Amino acid sequence: MGFLNAIRYFIVYFNYFCMAFTLLLNIIYIIQLFVSFFRVHHNYNRTFSDDYLSYEDSENLLPISLIIPAYNEQEHIVQNVRSLMKLNYPHFEIIVVNDGSTDKTGDRVINAFHMHKIETSIRYQIPTQKIEAVYYSKTYPNLLYVQKANGGKSDALNAGINISKYPLFTCLDADSRIEKDALLRLSLEFIKDSRTVVAGGIVRIANGSKIVDGELKGFTMPKKLIERFQIVEYYRSFLMGRVFWAASNSLLIVSGAFGLFRKQTVIEVGGYKKNTIGEDMEIVVRIHHYMRKHRRKYKVTFNEFSVCWTQGPMSLNDIRSQRRRWQIGLMDTLISHAGMTFNPRYGFVGMVSMPYNWIFELFGAVVETIGYFLIPFTLIMGELNMFFFVIYFLLSVSLGVILSEGSLVLEQYTHRAAMTAKQSIAISVYAILENFGYRQIITIFRVEGIIKYRKLRKTWGKIQRKEFEQ
Amino acid sequence: MKIELISVIGLLLCLLIIGIEYILLYRLAELQDEHTARNDNIRRRLDIHVEGVLYAPTQGSRDAEITALADEINGEYAVYEMAVKEIKEHQGSGFDDEAKEKLIERINTQVDPVAMYAKMLDEGDVYHKGYACRRLADLEALEYRDKIKECVDSKDRDLAYNAAMALCEMGDVYEVAAYLLRIENDTQYSGRIVNEFFDQFTGDREELAAMLFEKCNKYMKCTVIKTIAQYKIDGFRNMYIEGASGDDNQLKIACVKALAAFGYPEDEQILQIAAGDKDWVIRSSAVRGLSLLKTQTALNTVKHALGDKEWWVRQTAAQSLTRMDISPRDLEEILGGYDRFAADAMKNVLYKTVDT
């Protein structure tokens, strides 16, 4: 009897813990939202006096190497390179790194841009798989195509860094598009403060949007519910989360789809880590680790006006695979740099950002999932007050809606003019609806990632994506 | 019961916040729509006016069109900027840049954009003030120099920068020098500012540099030397020669770079010595400078640098050689030579410069 009582008490108190945890997490998010609002307001005003377009032809801008790691990207690669060539930036080179594709990625690039093989000396500042050949085009002198043995995305990025000649580099996904002025805006972060070593741009869901040559030409609501939810989710994640963490120089992730890095710093820390699927987060955490350990002054920043468009997954299966990978990437990185957690030597990153990611981003999903099953169970067993349950449920949904709506306000505030008033209001309905099912499913996928960490940490998932409209 | 009461209050508060957010979202979205529609309308009307101004058959009708355009602008700087942009980007025949500039000047006499920006400078927040400073400088509104000077002292770094940049465009040597000296200790910031300011400065760059050299610290001195290297100011050559032969490494780097930009034969000896320096940045600059001389001794040094232990020096040497009068025999010797470093560097450059 004593044992059963103990279980009963455990369940009841665990319920309270789950509730308190969820409420605390949402309150933290709301604090983030408020800080982000002031930050976005300040940054928006600053862009007015920045007059960033006056830098358009400036010799003072730092030249940039755009590295595109490509593995079986025959569908998107040529179109993507063509779109990048129209970027509004005075000096840049494009390096397509073919990571041993088994399809026609290489042939397509070589033929489309009239490239020929050249002999070139390569500085292997970061060890990578063998670079088999380098192609160059007289017609497109700022384009290089690199053929290398398969070694994974990190290896391809490291090869691109080895072959690049400019002090800044950005890694771009082969299936993403960056806006015409995005590079210009992002590179100003390095010009304005020379301590900047990493700058991330905002990633927006392109599903439904018409992007032509890096310019948004119109928005129609995507057909699938799952795509609509992702639009809200991305606003929340980027405009709220990243703006907040960047404000305290403790941003731990810069999206793999669009981030600008100081090459020398990345070489110093040893380049991208191989055999991890969260290489975009890992490199940023390693830079924090290295710079703080060596007491160097540095800045990891975020610019919400530099936009990269990406096609979000369109099926539940694809989104499951994506979220599992993200969670595994998070877990891998946190384990690799566990020594930073609660270590005052690493300042705000060690004392706040790392613990936050452990507690709320990693294990938060587990607590939330247990709560989904345990709380209704306890209610059925009659151990939980119905009134209390209803209030808790409404409260957690309301807090979720506050966050999503707040992100939409922020989005509207950045004057994107992407959506009409009607569309904005329509999308805000999904900010409510996502709390009934979508959010819970995503949390379960994240937990699945944790459970399958050992099995899946070195595997890649291919996501089916839509073509960009031309 | 107490916790339940708190929960209910919390819930009501949440609902209130959601309501406010909805109103805010709707209002912002509506404003956005209004703004877009208004801009589209203005743009359409501007198209007609600009077209009228550009293609008016007589002087009288052009004046009338300009008056109509001025009425459309009605003291709004955003509309004025849209009109100016449209004229500048107009691709019609018979309108070169000079003709467009003249037309803009005539529009300016009616619209008085200086008054618009002056008002912004008086009444705007720090961001608008900064913007106004820059535009007033573009319009050469020298009468507002004193007001802009006041902004240079602002505690807001962006405003101070924009005001100083405006004075830079106005060629105000004393104020610009004073601003640069004020930020010289902020090494993370001043390097970029020096580059931008010398780039935009419309006054005497030599005078500005001399004023800085007189009072600035070593970091600023090196930065200024490196920045003005491209302008090849003869007046500082002796200082460069002294610095290039001195013991201070940072100063040496800057001075060798500056001397290399001149490409004077009398500096060859200094550059030859610098090409053997222990610092690879100095070696690289010296090699670049020697490539401008095109003498046999310079050629030999650059060829020798192809085998340098530092990759960047080898690349610089290879690129420099393509600009020098290198004979096919020398080239063959390098490409087929024992030194693989040299051959690789040379091949790398040749593949990109010669049709294959």
Side-chain angles (χ1 to χ4, degrees), chain A residues 111-130:
Chain A
N111 294 334
F113 301 102
H114 321 294
M115 308 198 81
H116 60 263
K117 198 171 172 181
I118 61 167
E119 274 188 52
T120 184
S121 50
I122 298 157
R123 284 191 303 169
Y124 283 91
Q125 298 191 88
I126 306 166
T128 66
Q129 292 285 337
K130 191 174 179 285

Side-chain angles (χ1 to χ4, degrees), chain A residues 217-232:
Chain A
K217 297 285 184 191
F219 173 82
T220 46
M221 193 72 83
K223 284 184 189 127
K224 294 186 178 177
L225 261 181
I226 203 167
E227 295 171 283
R228 295 175 186 187
F229 289 142
Q230 281 178 83
I231 291 176
V232 179

